[in-house]
Amino acid sequence: MLKLVGCLSLAVVSSLCAQDVAITNARIIVGNGTVVESGTIIVRAGKIVSANAGAGNTQGLKVIDAKGMSALPGYIDAHKHINTGPTEKAQMQSLLEAGYTTVLSGGGPGDGNITLRDHIESGMINGPRVIPSERVNLRGTPDEARAAIRAMAAKGIKHTGEIALTPEPGPTPQEIEVLKAVVDEAAKVGVQVNVHAVSSTAMVAAIDAGVRRLVHLPNKDWTSHEAAAKVAATNSIVLGTIGFGAPIIDKDSSAPAQVVFPKDDSPRFRDGKAWPEAIAGANRDANGKAMGTEAGYAMVNGRTVWDASGGKALGYCTDQNYADIVVLEHELKSYSVMFSMQNIFRIMGPNTAEYLHMSDQIGTLEAGKLADVILVDGNPLEGIQPMLKTKIVLKGGKVVVDKR
């Protein structure tokens, strides 16, 4: 009875709510380059005890027979605009069913982010682990920005939402002055600064101002090897949003509370309007016509940043709010143009966990980590399609989705 009361009343992630589980007969894709072709994952009190080849000791555990399915770390989306509201239950369930177990809110009112997190952690609704953020803008004074950071920290919010820098011709001196104040104050109170910089000029300016977490790859220009080297040398991480400029074609979904696109062979931007004209801040030619070059810039720049950093400086996010399984496929298709499957596992797992400073907790299937585990049909080493076929999701050791 005490365990039940604890699970129902505490708005925190509690090991009391987790299950002691053994996942057997699974292909274990650890996320760090290691693959166990047939093994067992042991979970106790919400954490992974072991993920090894063979049968393992399953005595006293709830056994989930994977029957040859592949086990992956739960997907992490480090930048997606979510908030509390009438559609939150459906949206959070959709994220879980696509395989996401951790999501950093991309912005919006911080109080709404906290409410959404608390609704999930209290058990009111099912959902991924939500990390709140708070809006900060650069249009005020440095002192106002510092006050906003302190107020955020006082509420327990440890991330800014995306702070936008002018991409072309580049950030203004006033923006940089305020941004430096944000970075300085955030370091004092333990807040991570997340910056939206979609040109190489803005990206470098942000890094020079002390920013180490960037929400988007540049999509306005080609990132030079020198700029990519600066990202690497400062241990900065850039989230891919690699499919930003690529069109969505012939995809629809019945997922409730999310955008549904008709299947009519028409290319669309993520808002459902005609591509490339609808691309936010579209790159345009001398006649004002949208060119769609964002797709090429983002993909190549992702590879440039990856190569310069030895694969450490590129993380994963979607920043899109149509049906989550469609979003996932769209991003994975774009990544697969430039990266191997093992690269993709690293980007989506340990790199994105490091972006959140949570690499000791999530991102790989290793002993001591939170038991965020998804089981998918097929072998993702052979391509992206199995990653779209999530059957079971464990979040912190608790089965939150079972579509068998």
Side-chain angles (χ1 to χ4, degrees), residues 100-384:
Y100 293 99
T101 52
T102 301
V103 178
L104 171 62
S105 173
D111 290 342
N113 287 175
I114 290 172
T115 298
L116 176 60
R117 179 201 64 192
D118 291 350
H119 284 175
I120 293 169
E121 293 188 355
S122 69
M124 183 183 300
I125 64 172
N126 203 18
R129 181 178 301 104
V130 167
I131 302 171
S133 72
E134 178 72 275
R135 291 172 175 164
V136 178
N137 70 65
L138 304 183
R139 293 188 292 274
T141 66
D143 285 344
E144 288 170 338
R146 288 179 183 275
I149 293 293
R150 290 194 296 271
M152 179 190 315
K155 289 190 278 189
I157 296 176
K158 298 298 184 182
H159 289 263
T160 72
E162 58 182 334
I163 299 174
L165 294 182
T166 301
E168 296 175 322
T172 66
Q174 180 188 6
E175 285 178 81
I176 296 302
E177 180 187 10
V178 178
L179 181 59
K180 286 181 177 179
V182 167
V183 170
D184 180 65
E185 198 66 31
K188 295 175 183 177
V189 295
V191 168
Q192 176 171 301
V193 179
N194 302 290
V195 166
H196 171 115
V198 295
S199 70
S200 297
T201 300
M203 179 179 73
V204 170
I207 290 172
D208 286 344
V211 173
R212 297 296 178 260
R213 295 295 185 264
L214 296 138
V215 174
H216 300 296
L217 285 165
N219 58 53
K220 294 292 182 186
D221 56 3
W222 302 118
T223 295
S224 68
H225 293 296
E226 291 75 18
K230 177 165 283 193
V231 174
T234 55
N235 294 317
S236 300
I237 301 178
V238 186
L239 298 180
T241 327
I242 200 167
F244 170 78
I248 298 96
I249 303 172
D250 253 6
K251 287 292 176 186
D252 64 359
S253 173
S254 59
Q258 292 185 294
V259 178
V260 177
F261 296 161
K263 298 187 74 169
D264 60 1
D265 202 32
S266 298
R268 285 179 164 78
F269 184 54
R270 64 189 189 190
D271 62 0
K273 297 178 182 177
W275 180 95
E277 282 295 325
I279 294 175
N283 299 335
R284 298 182 180 277
D285 64 16
N287 297 316
K289 185 174 178 60
M291 297 182 289
T293 53
E294 290 86 352
Y297 286 139
M299 286 187 193
V300 174
N301 291 343
R303 187 74 218 193
T304 302
V305 167
W306 172 275
D307 290 341
S309 64
K312 295 180 180 179
L314 188 62
Y316 176 85
C317 76
T318 63
D319 194 28
Q320 305 184 47
N321 283 317
Y322 53 93
D324 293 297
I325 195 66
V326 178
V327 171
L328 177 61
E329 182 177 15
H330 185 228
E331 288 293 319
L332 288 175
K333 281 181 175 178
S334 300
Y335 275 106
S336 66
V337 174
M338 307 302 292
F339 298 99
S340 71
M341 292 309 300
Q342 283 283 19
N343 292 164
I344 291 172
F345 303 148
R346 183 172 175 182
I347 290 165
M348 295 181 70
N351 285 12
T352 307
E354 181 61 29
Y355 181 96
L356 299 175
H357 296 289
M358 294 179 69
S359 59
D360 60 332
Q361 300 176 66
I362 57 176
T364 58
L365 300 181
E366 297 179 280
K369 301 284 183 78
L370 293 174
D372 289 359
V373 186
I374 64 173
L375 293 176
V376 303
D377 258 346
N379 183 1
L381 291 165
E382 297 175 354
I384 67 169

Side-chain angles (χ1 to χ4, degrees), residues 13 75 82 87-103 116-131 324 372 393-396 398-401:
V13 178
Y75 301 148
I82 53 176
T87 64
E88 65 180 29
K89 182 178 180 180
Q91 187 184 25
M92 295 302 102
Q93 185 67 29
S94 173
L95 280 163
L96 278 179
E97 291 187 6
Y100 293 99
T101 52
T102 301
V103 178
L116 176 60
R117 179 201 64 192
D118 291 350
H119 284 175
I120 293 169
E121 293 188 355
S122 69
M124 183 183 300
I125 64 172
N126 203 18
R129 181 178 301 104
V130 167
I131 302 171
D324 293 297
D372 289 359
V393 178
L394 283 78
K395 186 188 78 174
K398 182 180 179 181
V399 176
V400 289
V401 171

